[in-house]
């Protein structure tokens, strides 16, 4: 089972989740690719399900009209993507799987923006795969202004 605690590379930013995550998703969009330097792998976490035990070095970057991205200003770890647009999902995070102290036991549940993925790699296996247009529709259904 995955842990409920995690941190950035230098350890200055640390969090605790109210329950252990069970699954994660990947986002193939160009923004996530640039932000992580690779592929964004995140667990969905409700706004009230995370407590930051240390966040002095955490900074946020507003990457679009509906979201911001959190990172550690000391070590540069990509920590989370957070929905800022009003609506029932406001404040929801996609928390970087690699920041969990233990990510064993998670299931790989979905891939987002598959139409933005470079041809040179692909994840094997069957799971939900959504195009960028399908993701945008889901966000606007959730109250995002897109
Ligand atoms: Zn750090
Ligand atoms: Zn993305």
């Amino acid at each position: 089972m995955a842990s409920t605690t995690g941190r950035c590379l230098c350890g200055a930013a640390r969090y605790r989740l109210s329950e252990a995550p069970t699954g994660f998703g990947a986002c193939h969009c160009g923004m996530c690719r640039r932000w992580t330097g690779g592929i964004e792998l995140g667990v969905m976490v409700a706004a009230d399900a995370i407590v930051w035990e240390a966040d002095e070095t955490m900074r946020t970057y507003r990457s679009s009209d509906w979201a911001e991205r959190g990172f550690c200003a000391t070590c540069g770890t990509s920590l989370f993507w957070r929905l800022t647009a009003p609506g029932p999902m406001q404040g929801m995070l996609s928390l970087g799987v690699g920041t969990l102290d233990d990510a064993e036991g998670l299931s790989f549940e979905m891939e987002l923006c598959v139409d933005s993925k470079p041809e040179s790699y692909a994840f094997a296996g069957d799971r939900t795969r959504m195009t960028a247009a399908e993701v945008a529709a889901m966000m606007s259904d959730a109250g995002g202004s897109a």
Side-chain angles (χ1 to χ4, degrees), residues 27 29 32 69:
C27 185
C29 84
C32 286
R69 293 167 192 265

Side-chain angles (χ1 to χ4, degrees), residues 33-105:
R33 210 161 58 229
R34 194 174 293 277
W35 175 58
T36 58
I39 303 167
E40 193 262 348
L41 299 175
V43 296
M44 289 298 178
V45 175
D48 60 359
I50 185 166
V51 172
W52 290 89
E53 297 186 323
D55 63 359
E56 296 79 19
T57 64
M58 193 222 290
R59 303 288 183 275
T60 54
Y61 170 69
R62 192 169 178 81
S63 53
S64 72
D65 287 343
W66 61 90
E68 63 185 7
R69 293 167 192 265
F71 61 97
C72 175
T74 298
C75 66
T77 296
S78 301
L79 293 165
F80 61 82
W81 175 98
R82 180 161 52 201
L83 185 67
T84 55
M89 289 167 71
Q90 187 177 35
M92 183 203 69
L93 300 141
S94 175
L95 184 66
V97 169
T99 66
L100 285 165
D101 289 330
D102 184 354
E104 287 304 320

Side-chain angles (χ1 to χ4, degrees), residues 22-28 39-43 97 103 105-112 114 117 122-129:
T22 57
F24 67 98
C27 185
H28 295 291
I39 303 167
E40 193 262 348
L41 299 175
V43 296
V97 169
L106 294 175
S107 62
F108 188 0
E109 291 171 345
M110 63 167 65
E111 292 183 51
L112 306 179
V114 287
K117 182 184 71 60
F123 290 117
D126 288 326
R127 64 189 60 84
T128 301
R129 292 186 167 92

